[in-house]
């Protein structure tokens, strides 16, 4: 039985330090615009399945990463599905200073945040998740074929509201083709 929240700890590296990525992996990992939009353009249907949402206390390091002056945040864990196939596990940390993004349900964050002209994004970092990582419990639960996974994370800002979005590409995702 899987236990949420899942850990997304990894050796997160900035783009310049990551090597051995295929063209396709780079295309998806460094997609600067909405991943939701990119997934939608590659599928007949797209959906979000909420796995878990719960309030948690940001550690000092997490607070610093977010540049947040509060330690309370909502941790949102979802699956992004294309044609009913799970493509991405996403985990977002949404500080409680604002709750606009706290009640999204099955609406993708990307459909809202990319409408904001003030949206900015930190440099994307890449993480690798090997067969021992806790995230593989989700791969098993979804009956997907285990393989080393690639993920990305970045901190978005809308004015002075900063939130983290982490996306891990599941087996079968386009970038592994
Ligand atoms: C940030 C985006 O929103 C997507 C939707 C998410 C959600 O609804 O929780 C989480 C991660 C993203 O892949 C995006 O589309 O780029």
């Amino acid at each position: 039985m899987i236990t949420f929240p899942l850990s997304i700890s990894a050796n997160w590296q900035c783009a310049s330090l990551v090597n051995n990525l295929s063209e396709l992996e780079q295309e998806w990992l460094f997609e600067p615009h909405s991943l939701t939009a990119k997934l939608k353009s590659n599928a007949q249907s797209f959906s979000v399945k909420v796995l878990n949402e719960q309030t948690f206390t940001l550690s000092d390091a997490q607070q610093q990463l977010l540049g947040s002056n509060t330690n309370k945040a909502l941790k949102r864990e979802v699956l992004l599905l294309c044609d009913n196939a799970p493509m991405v596990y996403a985990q977002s940390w949404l500080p409680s200073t604002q709750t606009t993004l706290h009640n999204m349900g099955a609406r993708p964050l990307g459909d809202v945040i990319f409408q904001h002209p003030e949206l900015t994004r930190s440099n994307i970092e890449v993480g690798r998740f090997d067969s021992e990582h806790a995230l593989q419990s989700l791969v098993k639960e979804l009956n997907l074929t285990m393989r080393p996974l690639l993920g990305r994370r970045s901190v978005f800002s809308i004015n002075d509201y900063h939130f983290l979005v982490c996306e891990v590409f599941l087996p079968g995702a386009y970038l592994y083709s």
Side-chain angles (χ1 to χ4, degrees):
M1 186 61 188
I2 197 164
T3 308
F4 294 105
L6 294 170
S7 159
I8 51 169
S9 47
N11 176 30
W12 294 104
Q13 293 185 300
C14 58
S16 57
L17 297 177
V18 185
N19 44 39
N20 302 326
L21 291 175
S22 70
E23 288 294 314
L24 197 55
E25 288 165 344
Q26 292 179 59
E27 176 195 327
W28 283 90
L29 287 168
F30 300 120
E31 168 58 43
H33 306 296
S34 167
L35 184 61
T36 296
K38 190 172 180 70
L39 289 168
K40 282 180 178 177
S41 70
N42 279 272
Q44 298 298 313
S45 71
F46 172 86
S47 58
V48 175
K49 180 181 180 184
V50 179
L51 298 172
N52 189 50
E53 287 189 326
Q54 66 184 65
T55 304
F56 77 116
T57 303
L58 292 161
S59 66
D60 291 347
Q62 290 168 337
Q63 248 186 282
Q64 192 177 6
L65 178 68
L66 284 188
S68 171
N69 54 16
T70 177
N71 65 357
K72 290 291 176 227
L74 180 75
K75 186 174 285 185
R76 171 178 165 92
E77 298 176 277
V78 302
L79 286 178
L80 306 182
L81 299 100
C82 290
D83 304 324
N84 296 319
M87 290 282 145
V88 174
Y89 162 80
Q91 184 176 128
S92 303
W93 302 345
L94 307 165
S96 303
T97 44
Q98 273 189 28
T99 57
T100 317
L101 298 177
H102 280 202
N103 306 302
M104 292 294 293
R107 278 186 71 200
L109 290 178
D111 280 2
V112 172
I113 66 174
F114 282 90
Q115 303 304 317
H116 280 271
E118 314 83 9
L119 182 75
T120 59
R121 175 179 213 158
S122 69
N123 292 332
I124 291 170
E125 294 178 305
V126 173
R128 294 179 189 273
F129 304 87
D130 65 18
S131 53
E132 303 305 311
H133 195 279
L135 273 174
Q136 299 289 352
S137 61
L138 178 64
V139 171
K140 280 192 202 115
E141 181 92 0
L142 294 171
N143 294 316
L144 298 172
T145 308
M146 195 181 297
R147 55 152 298 142
L149 303 175
L150 283 165
R152 67 183 199 156
R153 75 176 188 177
S154 55
V155 176
F156 287 92
S157 299
I158 298 174
N159 298 320
D160 59 356
Y161 185 68
H162 315 291
F163 55 102
L164 177 115
V165 174
C166 171
E167 296 139 327
V168 181
F169 293 91
L170 297 170
Y174 302 109
L175 86 170
Y176 298 127
S177 307

